Amino acid sequence: MLDAPVAVPSAPTTDEKLLAQALSGKHLIGGRLVPARSGQTFPVVNPATGEQIGTAALGDAADVDAAVQVAAAAQKDWAKMPARKRGALVAKCAEIITAHVEELGRLIALETGKALRTESRVEANVVADIFAFYGGLGSELKGESVPFSPDVLSVTVREPLGVVGAIIPWNVPMLLMALKVAPALVAGNAVVVKSAEEAPLAVLRICELLNRVLPPGLFNMLSGFGPDCGAPLVEHPKVRKVTFTGSVEVGKIVATTAAKKMIPVTLELGGKSPMIVFDDIDLARAVDGAITSMRFTRQGQSCTAASRIYVHEKVFDAFAAALAKRVDAMVMGDPLDEKTDIGTIISKEQFEKVSGFIAEGKATAGATGRACSAMPTDPRLAKGLFVQPHIFSGLSKASRLVQQEIFGPVTCLFPFNDWQAVLAEANDSEYGLAASVWTNNLQVGLRMAHALEAGLVQINQNLVVQANLSYGGVKSSGLGKEASLEAMLEHFMHKKTIMVNMA
Ligand code: ADP
Ligand code: MG
C-alpha cells in the first residue's frame, strides 16, 4: 500500500502523509525520481507513533554509479556557466524552498519527531536562508594577482572540484544538506547526496523541488545505508571531494578512504560542548541561554548542544532550580501540534542508547538526575520514542555521561569557583566543536574565548549555525569549515596559478 503510485504534488501541500507516500521508494538521479536499481526499499517510520509512513529506495553501488556518472556529465556545462548565473539559479532555489517552508517543516516533523513550532519549521526557514546567502555569492569566486615580475602576469583562479559526494545525518538533515549543496553548486560542482537512513524524505522533496530549477544531473539524492550506499559514494573514482557530517567513528572511515584516493574531505563530527556561567550574569538570562544551548527542543540531538554546564558555585543551586523549573514547563507531545516544545528521539536504536546513559547516570553513587517535563498522555503517542529531559549533577569527570556524546536530552551540571580551573575542565574533552561563556566581565570572557579549544565560542549567546559564519570543530569534532564564503572558496574549489610571460 505504501508503495502505491501516488503522484508527487506539484504545489505546496500540508498533507505530509500523502507527500511521504508520494516520495516513497525513490532516489532522484538525473532530474528524475527513480526506484533503486535492485528494486528494493526500506521502511520510513514516524518515531512519534511507530507507524510506517513510507519507504525509501535501498541504494547500493549500482545506484551510486548511475548518480555519479550523470553528475559528472552535467558538471561540465555547469562549470562553464558564468558563476553569477549559477548563483542566480541557486537564489531561485531559495524562493522555491520559501514557498514550501510549511510543507517541508511538516514532513521533517513527521519523519524525525522534531516539533514543528520549535524546530522543524525553523529548520526549513534556515534552509531557504542558506540557499539565498550562497545564491548571492556567485561573483565572489575571485582569485588573486601575484607580484612576480613586470613582464609576467601571475594570477590565481578558482576552479570547481567536479563531483562532490555529500553524506548527511538525521538530526537536521535539510539544514546540513543545504550547507553542503548550496556552496558546492555555486562553486560549479555537481553533487550526489546520500541521505540518512532515518530521515530520507524531506531532503528528497527538496531535491525534487530544486530540480525544477537546476539543470538535470547537478543535484542528485540517494537513500540507503552507510556501508552499502555511503561507502561506495566515497570510494567512487569520479567523486573528487567528500563532505560528511556524522559520527567520529564513520568520519575516520570516510577520511581513510579519501586519503587513499587523495581527495579533500570536510568532516563535521561530534561535540561535547561546554557552557560556562559566571555569578555576575543575570540568572534569568543565563537560564534562557541554557534552554537554547541545551537544544532540548531537539531532544538534545545536536552536536553543539551544551551537554556540560559549569556554573559558578555562588549561583549553582539557584541556577539548577530555575533551569529544572523552565524545562518542567516545556511541553512534550505530538511533533505536529503547535503547543509542543519537545518531540521524540529519532529511532529505537538512539532511544536505547540515550535511555542507557540516563539509567547509568541515575545508578551512579553521589549523582542525581532530575527528570523534567512530563511524558505525553495521548494514547496515539503510546509507542512514541519520548524521553524525559534529564539534568544531572554530582557526576564525576570520568563518567561516560561527561566524556561521551549522548545525543539526547541530557545535560550535566558542575559547580566551579575559579575561571582557570573551569577552563581546564572545559578543554579536557576529546571534542572541540562549540562553547559558550556567560559573564559581564568581558576581560575574563575574552580570555576564555581565546583559550577554549573549540571552533565556535559565543559570549552571552548561543545561536545555532548562521549561513555567513564559518562553522566547524577542532580535535575529534572534525576537519574543515562549513557555512560562510570561506567554506565555499576553501572547501569546494581549488586554486590554480596561471602565469603569462609577455616579455
Ligand atoms: P549516527 O550514528 O548518528 O547514525 P553515522 O556516522 O553512523 O551517525 O551516520 C551519518 C551518515 O553516515 C549516515 O548517512 C550514514 O548512513 C552514513 N554512513 C554510515 N556508515 C558509513 C560508511 N561506512 N561510509 C559512508 N557513510 C556511512
Ligand atoms: Mg550510525
Side-chain angles (χ1 to χ4, degrees):
M1 185 279 226
L2 287 166
D3 277 325
V6 177
V8 175
S10 55
T13 173
T14 47
D15 188 343
E16 63 283 347
K17 286 194 172 151
L18 178 131
L19 188 55
Q21 201 180 328
L23 293 165
S24 279
K26 300 289 197 296
H27 299 307
L28 199 148
I29 300 177
R32 291 190 315 122
L33 287 164
V34 293
R37 265 118 194 100
S38 68
Q40 297 209 59
T41 62
F42 61 97
V44 182
V45 173
N46 173 0
T49 60
E51 281 163 12
Q52 185 174 341
I53 53 162
T55 65
L58 185 65
D60 61 19
D63 299 307
V64 168
D65 186 54
V68 174
Q69 298 295 354
V70 298
Q75 192 263 337
K76 297 212 163 24
D77 285 339
W78 182 243
K80 287 183 204 139
M81 188 187 283
R84 187 160 182 153
K85 214 167 152 194
R86 291 199 299 262
L89 283 174
V90 169
K92 256 199 174 164
C93 293
E95 285 173 28
I96 300 197
I97 294 165
T98 301
H100 290 77
V101 157
E102 193 59 22
E103 165 192 301
L104 292 168
R106 296 187 73 85
L107 185 58
I108 199 79
L110 184 71
E111 68 178 335
T112 64
K114 294 193 299 179
L116 180 61
R117 177 178 53 80
T118 55
E119 285 289 332
S120 293
R121 191 183 284 129
V122 179
E123 181 183 354
N125 275 304
V126 175
V127 172
D129 184 55
I130 292 167
F131 277 89
F133 169 73
Y134 279 109
L137 294 180
S139 310
E140 295 298 322
L141 311 179
K142 292 181 268 198
E144 296 131 349
S145 74
V146 186
F148 192 77
S149 81
D151 288 333
V152 175
L153 175 70
S154 180
V155 295
T156 60
V157 293
R158 292 185 191 270
E159 295 183 343
L161 299 171
V163 178
V164 172
I167 298 178
I168 56 172
W170 46 260
N171 64 331
V172 258
M174 304 193 297
L175 187 158
L176 296 171
M177 181 275 285
L179 282 181
K180 300 177 188 326
V181 172
L185 288 177
V186 174
N189 304 286
V191 195
V192 177
V193 178
K194 206 292 279 173
S195 56
E197 42 273 51
E198 298 84 353
L201 297 177
V203 286
L204 181 63
R205 174 61 160 176
I206 294 180
C207 187
E208 184 267 317
L209 293 172
L210 301 199
N211 267 275
R212 298 178 192 182
V213 173
L214 297 167
L218 284 177
F219 177 15
N220 309 277
M221 178 76 60
L222 303 172
S223 46
F225 289 79
D228 299 333
C229 188
L233 180 61
V234 181
E235 286 158 11
H236 198 290
K238 285 193 175 162
V239 169
R240 303 311 303 157
K241 154 89 197 192
V242 173
T243 169
F244 170 85
T245 303
S247 61
V248 177
E249 183 195 354
V250 177
K252 286 180 180 167
I253 298 174
V254 169
T256 303
T257 308
K260 287 186 186 142
K261 284 174 65 183
M262 208 57 85
I263 61 165
V265 63
T266 305
L267 302 171
E268 298 294 343
L269 309 175
K272 193 76 191 173
S273 300
M275 170 176 180
I276 300 164
V277 181
F278 284 85
D279 56 329
D280 65 344
I281 190 92
D282 174 56
L283 196 67
R285 180 171 181 183
V287 170
D288 274 351
I291 294 290
T292 326
S293 302
M294 297 184 305
R295 315 268 192 265
F296 279 3
T297 53
R298 200 189 297 157
Q299 299 74 252
Q301 300 170 137
S302 160
C303 22
T304 51
S307 46
R308 299 180 288 151
I309 306 186
Y310 300 91
V311 186
H312 195 281
E313 61 185 16
K314 280 193 200 151
V315 291
F316 183 88
D317 290 340
F319 178 91
L323 184 63
K325 203 170 153 204
R326 278 290 298 278
V327 182
D328 279 341
M330 293 171 85
V331 177
M332 285 173 78
D334 179 355
L336 286 159
D337 187 334
E338 297 286 343
K339 287 196 288 293
T340 299
D341 296 301
I342 301 175
T344 71
I345 299 293
I346 184 80
S347 65
K348 282 219 170 83
E349 186 189 340
Q350 283 299 118
F351 180 86
E352 298 300 335
K353 189 178 152 210
V354 172
S355 306
F357 273 110
I358 294 173
E360 186 174 320
K362 287 197 150 169
T364 305
T368 41
R370 163 90 146 75
C372 299
S373 183
M375 292 292 278
T377 50
D378 183 343
R380 289 178 311 121
L381 305 175
K383 290 195 181 138
L385 303 174
F386 293 92
V387 169
Q388 268 184 287
H390 275 72
I391 301 174
F392 280 93
S393 52
L395 285 167
S396 84
K397 213 165 81 176
S399 163
R400 230 166 49 94
L401 280 79
V402 184
Q403 294 295 328
Q404 297 183 16
E405 185 174 45
I406 300 174
F407 231 62
V410 178
T411 201
C412 309
L413 305 185
F414 305 91
F416 75 89
N417 60 20
D418 171 60
W419 75 266
Q420 272 138 326
V422 76
L423 178 65
E425 288 262 303
N427 282 341
D428 186 13
S429 168
E430 177 195 352
Y431 295 104
L433 190 55
S436 69
V437 182
W438 300 75
T439 180
N440 290 319
N441 182 340
L442 290 184
Q443 189 189 47
V444 168
L446 206 54
R447 278 184 193 164
M448 292 197 74
H450 283 292
L452 278 161
E453 294 164 2
L456 172 67
V457 181
Q458 300 183 62
I459 299 179
N460 297 342
Q461 65 169 26
N462 203 355
L463 305 177
V464 295
V465 169
Q466 309 288 307
N468 60 337
L469 295 180
S470 142
Y471 170 79
V474 296
K475 303 202 274 189
S476 286
S477 292
L479 280 181
K481 296 288 177 187
E482 294 202 293
S484 77
L485 173 63
E486 170 205 340
M488 175 165 68
L489 298 180
E490 301 300 322
H491 298 303
F492 290 111
M493 309 198 84
H494 77 94
K495 245 193 216 177
K496 178 188 274 177
T497 300
I498 298 180
M499 300 175 85
V500 187
N501 189 330
M502 289 170 283

